[in-house]
Amino acid sequence: MSLTIRGQVISTEKEDGSSFMTADAIIFKYPKEAITSKSLIIVQPTERAIVLIQGQIVADLPPGSHNIQTPGNPVSAFLSKFRYNTLPYDTIVYFISTTRHEVRVAGVSQTDDLVPLEYETAIYFRVQNPAALVTNVQFGSLYFKDADLAHYISPIVDQEVSSVLNRVNLTDVFKKFSEISTAVTAALKQFLAEIGVDLISVRITRLLPQDPELRRIIQLRDMGIPLMDAVRMGLARILAEQQNAAAVNMAIGVPYYPNLSTIVNLPDGLIRVGIGRRGQQQSGGAQQ
């Protein structure tokens, strides 16, 4: 990534009008080698800027223009305290997005009857305390993005989702959407507040069996088809994909009797005798 220093202006805005602060970026770390004592820090309306010097947070700058050399600026106050004439090399500026963000956390859990379920949660949040967030997360590049936060909170989400799903059977699992959302919200709200993030809401966007055949059976059941008929229709579809002639019989629930001579390599007379004897035994039993 190439950076252009525009008269020592420290900002997320590029020369071409685009921004380093992409839609999925929560934190952007400005390269410290581009920061000098004559820098002008410009913070956009949807951002806040955290200035660190020698490992200490010396300023939390709101939207607007901030001249480092202005006497009232907290950065200049820090420099005068230590009698620095120039900014030390270890000066870092973090730009933090204050807009609403959304992350998706997905995983696999199971019900009380050991049916694997795939789930996905949509989590909406906003950074409330930029200084707390900067001091509580770690990232190796210039960005801390939504995907990084999703990875950070996924163990908590998985624990809370499983705490509900592990106690219910598959037939009742879809009645637990609100209970899952409540459990995840309660756990995340406290956890995120500790790192300066305000949780807005949590929604369950996906909760389906991992087995695709079981998904189709449930869909047919929810359309009003009795459960056993839904199972039979699912089996009929599998037979149809295999080009099995029994698929139609499975779908309508009628037994299928193939020509036994095509299955068992026996003389026709022997098969006919066997069938005849079986029919006589059944008719004789009926007469008795």
Side-chain angles (χ1 to χ4, degrees):
M1 179 180 63
S2 61
L3 292 172
T4 302
I5 303 176
R6 299 182 291 117
Q8 307 299 332
V9 173
I10 306 302
S11 172
T12 56
E13 185 179 359
K14 301 179 184 179
E15 288 284 356
D16 60 1
S18 60
S19 176
F20 289 115
M21 187 66 74
T22 55
D24 63 338
I26 303 174
I27 303 175
F28 169 64
K29 178 183 177 182
Y30 202 90
K32 61 183 180 181
E33 59 269 14
I35 302 173
T36 67
S37 296
K38 295 182 180 180
S39 296
L40 179 67
I41 301 177
I42 297 179
V43 184
Q44 302 300 326
T46 57
E47 302 168 356
R48 292 187 73 91
I50 300 296
V51 182
L52 274 74
I53 299 179
Q54 296 179 346
Q56 300 180 53
I57 295 179
V58 300
D60 181 353
L61 304 178
S65 177
H66 305 273
N67 192 331
I68 292 178
Q69 293 182 327
T70 303
N73 191 289
V75 178
S76 63
F78 178 86
L79 297 177
S80 62
K81 179 181 178 182
F82 291 92
R83 298 181 180 179
Y84 290 148
N85 295 323
T86 60
L87 280 174
Y89 180 76
D90 54 352
T91 298
I92 304 174
V93 178
Y94 293 96
F95 289 94
I96 295 89
S97 170
T98 56
T99 60
R100 190 181 79 159
H101 285 251
E102 174 193 350
V103 297
R104 299 290 179 106
V105 177
V108 178
S109 184
Q110 65 180 19
T111 62
D112 185 51
D113 42 3
L114 303 181
V115 177
L117 295 178
E118 296 178 357
Y119 68 85
E120 182 184 67
T121 59
I123 300 165
Y124 303 90
F125 65 93
R126 179 183 289 109
V127 177
Q128 189 71 26
N129 188 338
L133 181 62
V134 167
T135 56
N136 279 280
V137 297
Q138 294 180 343
F139 51 103
S141 64
L142 297 179
Y143 287 95
F144 183 80
K145 297 191 174 184
D146 291 338
D148 299 312
L149 184 67
H151 180 74
Y152 191 66
I153 63 177
S154 60
I156 297 175
V157 175
D158 185 73
Q159 178 180 346
E160 296 304 322
V161 171
S162 297
S163 68
V164 177
L165 295 181
N166 294 166
R167 295 184 284 107
V168 296
N169 293 327
L170 179 63
T171 54
D172 299 324
V173 74
F174 298 102
K175 303 175 184 177
K176 300 294 182 178
F177 270 66
S178 60
E179 188 174 336
I180 295 173
S181 299
T182 301
V184 174
T185 300
L188 280 183
K189 195 170 189 65
Q190 179 181 357
F191 180 78
L192 291 176
E194 295 175 357
I195 63 173
V197 176
D198 179 37
L199 179 65
I200 299 174
S201 64
V202 174
R203 292 192 306 109
I204 305 299
T205 57
R206 180 183 176 88
L207 188 61
L208 290 173
Q210 196 174 31
D211 182 6
E213 299 303 329
L214 188 54
R215 294 181 195 174
R216 295 186 179 95
I217 291 173
I218 292 176
Q219 290 169 349
L220 292 172
R221 184 201 64 180
D222 292 342
M223 291 173 61
I225 299 176
L227 181 59
M228 295 307 298
D229 292 342
V231 173
R232 194 178 67 250
M233 293 296 291
L235 294 175
R237 188 192 62 81
I238 296 175
L239 292 174
E241 290 179 350
Q242 297 174 353
Q243 299 182 350
N244 192 316
V248 176
N249 296 76
M250 178 64 73
I252 62 179
V254 175
Y256 175 68
Y257 299 105
N259 184 356
L260 297 182
S261 63
T262 64
I263 299 177
V264 183
N265 189 18
L266 295 175
D268 291 341
L270 181 60
I271 297 174
R272 199 173 296 112
V273 169
I275 296 176
R277 288 178 179 176
R278 186 183 307 171
Q280 293 175 2
Q281 290 176 1
Q282 290 177 352
S283 61
Q287 292 176 359
Q288 290 177 358

